[in-house]
Amino acid sequence: MNRILIIDDDRELCALIKRSVQTENIAADFCNTGKEGLQKLKEQEYQLVILDVMMPGMDGFETLEEIRKEHSLPILMFTSKNDSISKVRGLRAGADDYLTKPFDMDELIARIVSLIRRYTRFNQQAGTVQKLNFDGLQIDLENRSVTTGNGTFELPPKEFDLLLYCVKNQGRILTKQQIYEEVWGEEYFYDDSNIMAIISRLRKKLEVNPSSPKYIQTVKGIGYRFNKEV
């Protein structure tokens, strides 16, 4: 059974989410501070974390940064309505998705299921390790990691899924709509902040010079393309 961790100081909301995800055969633990959440992640294996931005003491952004030092599991953040700054900040810091409060519970469950499915999809494949090699870049499909001149490291789910989608379409121009609908599995509503934040994070990890990318190239006014020459 998949298990998620909810980190939010709203105890009633945590209990409601826990009951709701049980309908999808997903177990849930919850805590009300960032420090408690970090401790639980040391004690138990989880497939996803739900993290609120506004919490007393260690806030959601600080907690996110600490989680990302040790874990690559999906993280969905709760933000306040119309708080675009928090959304972008969270995505740049390593969040995979966000949902604004108040939200529809069915939408939350759908996002949870989608994030878990994408995270576990490649790890469920049997057989030998599959690796894709490019000029200075190796992608390990089984371990969801990449190797560059700076070493080997795992990528968070959304980063890995976006990179792999571009790689599978090497040389082909992909529109932002195509990327969003493939990676997020949702209808595109012309909100490019998710895509731009993840592309930026990927370039910082993969590129020698992120401002002049070698791998994921920008096609102005259209979208992106994985370099066919590598």
Side-chain angles (χ1 to χ4, degrees):
M1 176 184 289
N2 290 314
R3 181 177 292 272
I4 68 173
L5 175 63
I6 309 162
I7 308 175
D8 194 311
D9 61 339
D10 186 334
R11 296 175 184 272
E12 292 184 4
L13 177 61
C14 289
L16 176 59
I17 295 173
K18 179 175 182 176
R19 292 195 301 270
S20 299
V21 298
Q22 288 175 344
T23 62
E24 297 292 336
N25 198 34
I26 297 173
D29 297 328
F30 63 84
C31 54
N32 307 118
T33 69
K35 289 185 178 180
E36 291 175 346
L38 294 174
Q39 183 60 39
K40 281 188 173 292
L41 284 165
K42 293 179 180 179
E43 301 170 352
Q44 173 71 46
E45 181 177 350
Y46 295 97
Q47 281 67 54
L48 178 137
V49 171
I50 295 175
L51 178 62
D52 189 30
V53 169
M54 300 299 295
M55 293 187 296
M58 179 182 289
D59 67 18
F61 298 120
E62 294 174 294
T63 306
L64 172 63
E65 291 175 1
E66 290 301 313
I67 293 174
R68 278 290 175 248
K69 291 178 181 179
E70 302 291 337
H71 304 278
S72 61
L73 79 172
I75 298 176
L76 186 153
M77 295 196 78
F78 286 153
T79 65
S80 301
K81 187 176 181 180
N82 299 324
D83 187 0
S84 59
I85 295 177
S86 291
K87 295 172 187 176
V88 173
R89 181 180 174 186
L91 291 165
R92 290 190 181 279
D96 295 282
D97 204 354
Y98 65 84
L99 201 57
T100 57
K101 291 182 176 181
F103 54 82
D104 180 80
M105 188 60 67
D106 287 339
E107 180 180 2
L108 173 62
I109 293 175
R111 293 194 183 208
I112 290 171
V113 171
S114 177
L115 286 168
I116 292 176
R117 183 176 63 248
R118 292 176 185 280
Y119 178 59
T120 59
R121 180 174 54 198
F122 289 99
N123 291 330
Q124 292 174 344
Q125 294 179 352
T128 58
V129 174
Q130 301 179 44
K131 296 181 179 179
L132 303 175
N133 291 287
F134 303 94
D135 184 11
L137 170 66
Q138 184 181 83
I139 303 172
D140 187 326
L141 301 181
E142 183 174 76
N143 294 314
R144 299 176 66 87
S145 65
V146 296
T147 300
T148 69
N150 295 322
T152 300
F153 42 89
E154 293 183 6
L155 292 178
K158 279 290 191 294
E159 292 181 22
F160 186 85
D161 289 347
L162 193 153
L163 174 62
L164 190 58
Y165 180 55
C166 291
V167 165
K168 287 181 176 179
N169 291 277
Q170 185 176 12
R172 176 186 171 194
I173 298 174
L174 300 171
T175 67
K176 293 175 182 177
Q177 179 175 351
Q178 288 173 317
I179 293 173
Y180 189 88
E181 292 181 351
E182 170 66 24
V183 176
W184 276 264
E186 301 172 2
E187 185 178 353
Y188 178 64
F189 288 109
Y190 304 99
D191 178 4
D192 297 335
S193 58
N194 285 9
I195 298 173
M196 293 172 65
I198 291 179
I199 292 288
S200 176
R201 289 183 347 228
L202 278 172
R203 285 174 173 167
K204 289 178 181 177
K205 295 176 181 179
L206 305 182
E207 302 287 353
V208 175
N209 182 5
S211 62
S212 180
K214 174 181 178 180
Y215 302 111
I216 302 178
Q217 302 173 323
T218 299
V219 181
K220 191 173 181 180
I222 302 177
Y224 301 93
R225 171 177 56 199
F226 193 81
N227 190 355
K228 63 181 180 182
E229 303 297 333
V230 297

